Every structure is written in C-alpha cells, then in structure tokens.
Amino acid sequence: MTVSEDQKLQEAIDTLRDSGVRITPQRHAVLEYIINSMVHPTADDIYKALEGKFPNMSVATVYNNLRVLRQIGLVRELTYGDSSSRFDYNSSEHYHIICEECGKIVDFHYPTLDEVESLAEQVTGFDVSHHRMEIYGKCEDCQQVATQKH
C-alpha cells in the first residue's frame, strides 16, 4: 500500500468513526480492498478476494458493508445496466472509460464539468444534484487481441 492509499484509508476510517459506524475487521478489509483496487470490483470480486482472510464472511456481509459505505459517501456504486454493480472509492470527481469488449473500467480525470450542471439548471429548471459521464471504447489489451486475430 502506498502512502497515498494508506492516507486515503486513514481518512476513510476517520469518516466512519465520525459517522458513528463501527469499524469491524470485515468492514475495514472491504474498504481497504476498494481503495487499493484499480478494477472497480463487483461485490462478488470483493468477496472472492477476501474469503481466504475471512472464511466465515458471506456475500451478504460484503453487500451490507458496501451499503453502509455507500450511505456514508465513501463508496460510489457504478451501475451500467448490463452487468453487476461495480464499486469505486469516492475520493475525487472523476469519470470512467469503459471497454466495450471486456468491461474493464478505468478512471479518467478531467476538470469537473460544473458549467454543464449550471447550464442544465438554467435551461431545464431542474435542481441538479450530480452528473455522470462515461466514455466507451476498446482497451489496449482488447485492441491487441483483435490485431492478433487478423
């Protein structure tokens, strides 16, 4: 774990403490896994990664912990309609680029598009709470596979 990841974990634990949420070993492990994960894991991915360390932990325990972490605002649930929800540590505003072949999701940082929210409010009269932008394409690995097939 890098200093940055260690710092993120400590800040997240402080947030849990401030929210009055009990920090169980399983909750700590789920949070740490998401912070360190670059693949935006599903609940099942998290369960499989942690089942060796916590043999008595169930998939339901993972889902319950994710629900708590999401409610506090530490974790973001990413739903794309076609597969299981994926989970992302809610550290900063960022967007996602998604491979249409293998489903890999990669963070893409770009200055927040606050102007779009403000324009949307002006044009529609909505009270905008947030926005989400997704970019789709084919990741480098899938491009190489396609090139090798030809």
Side-chain angles (χ1 to χ4, degrees):
M1 191 172 352
T2 67
V3 173
S4 172
E5 289 166 344
D6 196 34
Q7 196 173 355
K8 285 180 190 175
L9 181 61
Q10 191 53 57
E11 288 171 7
I13 289 169
D14 291 345
T15 300
L16 282 174
R17 229 178 246 121
D18 293 346
S19 300
V21 173
R22 228 165 44 93
I23 303 161
T24 64
Q26 292 92 337
R27 188 163 290 151
H28 186 281
V30 167
L31 185 57
E32 184 176 13
Y33 184 79
I34 292 172
I35 288 172
N36 294 330
S37 176
M38 291 291 144
V39 297
H40 303 81
T42 63
D44 201 45
D45 293 336
I46 297 167
Y47 169 72
K48 286 176 182 165
L50 299 177
E51 69 180 333
K53 190 174 180 183
F54 298 97
N56 296 328
M57 185 170 67
S58 67
V59 177
T61 303
V62 173
Y63 274 107
N64 289 334
N65 280 297
L66 288 168
R67 180 182 44 77
V68 169
L69 297 172
R70 194 182 71 238
Q71 287 171 342
I72 291 171
L74 289 173
V75 169
R76 187 180 303 181
E77 183 174 4
L78 308 174
T79 54
Y80 295 105
D82 58 342
S83 60
S84 301
S85 290
R86 292 170 171 268
F87 295 88
D88 190 14
Y89 180 62
N90 205 5
S91 60
S92 63
E93 281 302 318
H94 62 271
Y95 302 103
H96 296 104
I97 186 160
I98 303 153
C99 180
E100 295 170 305
E101 296 284 322
C102 68
K104 181 193 303 182
I105 301 172
V106 177
D107 290 345
F108 175 76
H109 295 274
Y110 187 77
T112 332
L113 299 172
D114 293 330
E115 306 82 44
V116 171
E117 290 185 5
S118 147
L119 180 62
E121 284 184 336
Q122 290 170 20
V123 171
T124 66
F126 274 59
D127 179 11
V128 175
S129 62
H130 66 284
H131 72 274
R132 178 170 96 173
M133 181 174 74
E134 300 155 11
I135 301 168
Y136 293 85
K138 194 182 288 190
C139 72
E140 288 184 33
D141 293 340
C142 290
Q143 288 175 53
Q144 286 177 356
V145 168
T147 304
Q148 290 168 0
K149 287 181 181 176
H150 294 335

